[in-house]
């Protein structure tokens, strides 16, 4: 049991910049392994030799070997990856919630980098960078066509070093440079507030090391402000995932003790696991239960969970657990579908291998992989519809993605039709030089989906999706 708990404490899940991670820093020794294919290994050695002797210019031995490893692993699925020294460090920063950079949340728009939000108190915040600003250059590198991950890498660096960002501010129609000194940034993954008497909104943007402590502190703060809480909206929209033990803890905060939160299944014995709503599955290093101070009412308060195409991995585990145990109503749109477990095997002090070792299943046994969580009630982003949500990439869209393991995948004809309509609408608005409408900021009074979630909690009519299936079939039967 102790070995199982040590493994449980280190496994994590997530999507970082489109597809984050599931991790276990646990080495596994296997006593038996099938013989290596000698002929293919000889071919590999022959190709290595030819590249060394015949290529137009000399190639470094270490680079050739590293690239060969990277290519072999990358051919498996979108989430398996070889970590060199630099990427291993960046990976660890991603799960800790701390990194050295400028302090902005970013996304991609029309080939440029758009600022979603500057992190309060960060160098970017102090420099006056605003939401919706576009980054056109990072130092001397134009970002047009640059991958989001590459842009992130260029903005990160050592503390005290400087980076110059060339910004374009649409509403002022001007371009200007900003030189920022990098420093350690700590991301805040939990936000929340009482939105109106009796009702609160709690947003988790990622599942990190401190997420559970911050989650508990925010819940306590909400209950101090509103002791007679009638309903809670748990907002997991655009939450790419993170640490599994954090996801299990957040689920356990709302579920009865010892019920199943998620199960895993793979080739290795330790890949076949069940994680329950019990401290032994989320408490780290035999520490105290972080949920012990939560008010008892949190177990029974009515909950609506908001999800969308950007909700992945750990957030899908939470949504699936609360849905299967009928503890919450899930609203929004079908989630990303990243339901595979990646395990990180250290290859040395500074390198590692992240490899897919299992699939995740909800308590009822449904695979999350490439299917995601289907909401109980489908709700559009705005009163006008889902805008361009259909164009967002999901796990099933990724090349070489792992299938669900539960039968042959079927093409979602309704989604393909919605995507084609969204493409045509976007092309028409681009040709007319009209700025496409954008969903309002989460948690504001203009947040349409939040308003519908509150209506659901109050027993008032909900404006359900105009284009997607409104109710899940099993919920219709119960009604």
């Amino acid at each position: 049991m102790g070995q199982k708990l040590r493994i449980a404490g280190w496994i994590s899940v997530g999507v970082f910049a489109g597809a984050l991670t599931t991790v276990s820093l646990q080495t596994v020794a296997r006593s038996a392994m099938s013989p290596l294919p000698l002929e293919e290994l000889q071919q590999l050695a022959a190709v290595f030799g030819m590249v060394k002797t015949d290529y137009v210019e000399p190639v470094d031995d270490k680079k050739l070997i590293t690239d060969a490893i990277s290519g072999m692993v990358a051919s498996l699925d979108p989430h398996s990856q070889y970590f060199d020294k630099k990427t291993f460090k960046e990976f660890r920063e991603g799960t800790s919630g701390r990194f050295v950079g400028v302090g902005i949340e970013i996304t991609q728009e029309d080939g440029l980098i758009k600022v979603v939000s500057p992190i309060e108190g960060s160098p970017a915040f102090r420099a006056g960078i605003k939401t919706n600003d576009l980054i056109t250059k990072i130092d001397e590198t134009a970002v047009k066509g640059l991958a989001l991950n590459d842009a992130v890498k260029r903005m990160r660096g050592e503390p005290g070093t400087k980076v110059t960002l060339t910004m374009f501010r649409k509403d002022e129609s001007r371009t200007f440079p900003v030189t920022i000194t990098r420093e350690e940034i700590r991301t805040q993954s939990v936000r929340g507030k009482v939105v109106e008497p009796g009702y609160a909104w709690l947003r988790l943007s990622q599942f990190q090391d401190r997420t559970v402590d911050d989650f508990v502190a925010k819940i306590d703060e909400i209950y101090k402000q509103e002791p007679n809480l009638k309903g809670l909206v748990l907002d997991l929209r655009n939450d790419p995932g993170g640490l599994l033990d954090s996801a299990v803890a957040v689920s356990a905060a709302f579920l009865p003790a010892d019920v199943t939160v998620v199960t895993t299944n793979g080739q290795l014995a330790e890949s076949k696991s069940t994680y329950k709503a019990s401290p032994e599955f989320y408490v780290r290093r035999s520490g105290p239960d972080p949920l012990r101070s939560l008010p008892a009412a949190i177990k029974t308060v009515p909950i609506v969970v908001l999800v969308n195409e950007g909700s992945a991995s750990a957030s899908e585990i939470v949504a699936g657990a609360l849905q299967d145990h009928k503890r919450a109503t899930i609203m929004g749109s079908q989630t990303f579908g990243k339901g595979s477990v990646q395990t990180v095997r250290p290859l040395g002090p500074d390198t590692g291998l992240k490899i897919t070792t299992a699939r995740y299943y909800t308590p009822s046994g449904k695979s999350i992989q490439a299917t995601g969580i289907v909401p109980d009630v489908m709700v559009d982003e705005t009163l006008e519809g889902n805008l361009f949500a259909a164009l967002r990439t999901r796990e099933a869209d990724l090349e070489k993605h792992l299938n669900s393991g539960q039968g042959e995948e079927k093409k979602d004809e309704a989604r393909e039709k919605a995507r084609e309509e969204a493409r045509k609408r976007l092309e028409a608005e681009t040709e007319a030089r009209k700025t496409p409408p954008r969903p309002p900021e989460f948690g504001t009074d203009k947040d349409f989906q939040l308003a519908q979630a509150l209506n659901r909690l109050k027993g008032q009519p909900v404006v359900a999706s105009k284009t997607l299936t409104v109710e899940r079939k099993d919920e219709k039967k119960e009604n």
Side-chain angles (χ1 to χ4, degrees), residues 351-366:
T351 59
L353 176 67
K354 175 163 67 76
I355 185 168
T356 301
T357 55
R359 291 180 177 89
Y360 279 110
Y361 298 85
T362 68
S364 64
K366 291 177 293 187

Side-chain angles (χ1 to χ4, degrees), residues 310-329:
S311 306
S313 291
S315 53
E316 293 177 288
I317 287 172
V318 174
L322 298 185
Q323 183 181 61
D324 278 7
H325 289 295
K326 305 191 186 309
R327 178 63 186 89
T329 300

Side-chain angles (χ1 to χ4, degrees), residues 198-202 215 219 222-223 226-234 250-251 253-256 294-305 322 326-329 454 457:
Y199 299 92
W201 168 77
L202 185 68
F215 165 82
I219 290 286
I222 286 172
Y223 267 94
E226 183 55 83
N228 300 313
L229 196 65
K230 299 176 184 176
L232 175 68
V233 179
L234 180 62
V250 169
S251 302
F254 302 110
L255 292 172
L294 285 176
I298 199 68
K299 293 285 188 182
T300 56
V301 65
I303 303 170
V304 165
V305 179
L322 298 185
K326 305 191 186 309
R327 178 63 186 89
T329 300
L454 292 171
L457 289 169

